[in-house]
Amino acid sequence: MTELARYRLTASVVVQDENKCILLVSEADQQVYGKLNLPGGHVDKGENIVTCAIRECVEETGLTPVLLGLLGIYANKGGINIVFLGTTNETLTTPGEDILECHWLSPTDIVNLVDDQILHPRKLRSIVSEVQSGLSHPMDIIKVL
């Protein structure tokens, strides 16, 4: 019998403010302490990915994003990350218990960060490039049943 593959499923949000700055969080977890990442996290059992993305953003930043579209599905050997594009009119953040700080950075500032500052540098730079190019899919591509 074939063994089934198991993946961690996570959902993240690229939250932009009215100036097109992107919200990043500094992780407090000792394994990735201080690394910059998009707000997001693991999908709970029975939770849909849209609800997860919003919940994780609220828990990590105190902000409730309005989701505008799906940026993409990013896979590596151990996980699948669903990344949404979102916006907010609020910029005052409240870091959650697993977050050291929240940062609003321009796309140029993010691209110019040193790799050691970013949790997944190649992925984050790819996502920022896609955001700048206007690449996203409408939310109705996701069918939540």
Side-chain angles (χ1 to χ4, degrees), residues 107-120:
T108 301
D109 290 340
I110 294 170
V111 170
N112 290 329
L113 289 169
V114 177
D115 282 1
D116 290 346
Q117 295 176 285
I118 305 170
L119 185 54
H120 300 289

